[in-house]
Amino acid sequence: MQKPFALLLGYYPAAMLVLGIETSCDETGVALYDTEAGLLEQRLHSQVELHARYGGVVPELASRDHSRRLVPLVESVMADAGMQAGDLDGVAYTAGPGLIGALMVGATFAASYAAAAGLPAVPVHHMEAHLLAPLLEPDPPAFPFVALLVSGGHTLLVDVAGIGRYSVLGTTLDDAAGEAFDKTAKLLELDYPGGPALAALAERGDAAAFDFPRPLTRRPGLDFSFSGLKTAVLVEVRRLREAGAWDEQARADIAASFEAAVVETLVLKARRALEQTGRERLVVAGGVGANRRLREALVTEVDIRRGRAFFPRPAFCTDNGAMIALAGALRLAAAEQEPRILARARWSLEELPAVAA
Ligand code: KG4
Ligand code: ZN
């Protein structure tokens, strides 16, 4: 039996094989997770090219592409694992939060596939899957921990006492961290999604070149705000252009200074959350969790506190089917039943039922 399951559930559930399906935004993710053997197979189809020329995700195109990709992806995952639908114990799918049309494609497909094979379909909360993603790694965190979830749609600090025992400590009042990366990347004339491209450009820049604001850090509390930071970058870009100083080095310096402002803000709030809750472990997940500088800064911060930071590998920070299969398996092990097909654009983590440990 895999360590995370016994560790987290407090008992050894029966062995289970779960197919996971992720379609909340612009990636179609499919994976097979076995509670004994771990992750067996996974596939991801990114729609980045499809949306690139629009500078952002076009919801209608995302839904259509998920419906085109799902059948071949599931077929190839099952074939390569040498499995048939009858070998599965359940089908997990992202039920929200996310783009409603995209979610409905995945939910309807998963529920139909499950019904045809006489299996339970398990709706999964996308952010719960992100925060449980480090359990896909060989050395998973034990409960309790604080989770910093930083993605394109969310910026959350969550106290995690157990599965489904979540208290949201802080959230963003405006843009999400990933959204701030993407919007700032656009100002720097980088292609969508700009987060990784901005991080690469920042490698050549001076993080001390511009003193961008660290929003909401001087006030107490754990909420975030990133829209002012983006505006500060816009003002600086305009000034540089007008001064005829808009060159490659200026772009790199802005990227590095912006990244430093976001990283410092996230680290400061993570520190406050650890202090406030008295937790020792910090889990970092979501697309921005793939950012190298953020990872390094958080490791240093947690080391100082003699705690430990846990990250999924970068490919499991961004959206993927493996985290959905794993979260679904945990919920299925707790014998949760949901006969309805669920798709919810908005859905708080705090509404989830607790799984007794
Ligand atoms: O978790 P995710 O794949 O999708 C959502 O659920 O939103 O996160 C995507 C976000 C995008 O905003 C992307 O620009 C950002 O994560 N991202 C990064 C990096 N890799 C992805 N941001 C900064 N540095 C990175 N290396
Ligand atoms: Zn996500």
Side-chain angles (χ1 to χ4, degrees):
M1 175 61 59
Q2 283 279 99
K3 201 168 147 202
F5 276 67
L7 191 74
L8 296 183
L9 290 169
Y11 62 90
Y12 288 90
M16 274 178 315
L17 180 65
V18 174
L19 178 69
I21 292 179
E22 156 63 30
T23 64
S24 67
C25 190
D26 59 347
E27 330 260 6
T28 319
V30 176
L32 256 185
Y33 186 83
D34 182 310
T35 53
E36 305 237 331
L39 187 64
L40 299 186
E41 287 291 337
Q42 67 131 351
R43 297 279 185 290
L44 190 74
H45 180 266
S46 166
Q47 302 179 352
V48 161
E49 279 175 31
L50 183 69
H51 302 291
R53 65 186 168 121
Y54 304 100
V57 178
V58 183
E60 175 69 17
L61 294 181
S63 310
R64 284 170 188 267
D65 201 55
H66 287 307
S67 42
R68 257 194 304 271
R69 305 289 170 183
L70 270 174
V71 172
L73 281 174
V74 168
E75 280 178 349
S76 88
V77 159
M78 296 297 282
D80 287 3
M83 300 287 177
Q84 295 183 334
D87 297 321
L88 297 170
D89 294 289
V91 183
Y93 63 93
T94 306
L99 300 172
I100 193 65
L103 290 167
M104 283 172 71
V105 171
T108 312
F109 173 86
S112 312
Y113 191 87
L119 300 168
V122 188
V124 169
H125 190 294
H126 183 78
M127 301 314 288
E128 174 172 69
H130 270 305
L131 76 83
L132 295 175
L135 306 180
L136 290 162
E137 303 305 340
D139 187 15
F143 292 132
F145 54 76
V146 165
L148 172 66
L149 302 178
V150 274
S151 69
H154 298 267
T155 305
L156 289 170
L157 271 165
V158 188
D159 185 51
V160 180
I163 301 166
R165 295 166 65 201
Y166 309 131
S167 311
V168 174
L169 305 168
T171 185
T172 181
L173 306 178
D174 40 58
D175 293 351
E179 196 178 355
F181 265 94
D182 295 338
K183 288 179 175 171
T184 303
K186 227 181 228 182
L187 298 175
L188 298 174
E189 297 152 357
L190 298 166
D191 286 341
Y192 179 85
L198 189 151
L201 181 61
E203 295 290 331
R204 303 194 292 276
D206 173 6
F210 300 95
D211 187 18
F212 290 132
R214 273 66 170 154
L216 298 189
T217 49
R218 287 200 205 114
R219 280 191 254 159
L222 293 168
D223 284 335
F224 302 90
S225 162
F226 289 108
S227 69
L229 176 56
K230 174 196 64 197
T231 308
V233 173
L234 174 66
V235 168
E236 200 56 52
V237 170
R238 279 202 190 131
R239 193 188 63 77
L240 288 163
R241 280 183 191 278
E242 280 161 19
W246 184 239
D247 57 16
E248 201 45 39
Q249 192 55 49
R251 285 174 72 231
D253 288 347
I254 292 231
S257 303
F258 164 83
E259 185 181 50
V262 175
V263 167
E264 209 180 289
T265 304
L266 293 173
V267 170
L268 182 133
K269 297 283 163 120
R271 177 194 310 149
R272 268 189 206 166
L274 291 168
E275 279 165 3
Q276 187 176 311
T277 57
R279 307 296 192 208
E280 289 163 3
R281 290 175 285 268
L282 177 71
V283 158
V284 186
V288 182
N291 185 277
R292 188 177 65 79
R293 281 181 200 271
L294 176 64
R295 292 168 88 101
E296 285 172 4
L298 286 168
V299 166
T300 307
E301 175 61 33
V302 175
D303 277 354
I304 294 168
R305 304 179 51 81
R306 299 182 188 283
R308 254 196 84 186
F310 295 84
F311 306 87
R313 72 196 79 166
F316 291 161
C317 276
T318 46
D319 291 349
N320 65 86
M323 67 181 191
I324 304 301
L326 176 121
L330 279 165
R331 293 265 168 203
L332 194 62
E336 281 186 22
Q337 294 284 330
E338 177 50 72
R340 293 169 299 170
I341 302 177
L342 284 191
R344 298 181 61 178
R346 300 175 75 84
W347 189 5
S348 165
L349 270 173
E350 291 179 342
E351 290 174 43
L352 291 177
V355 170

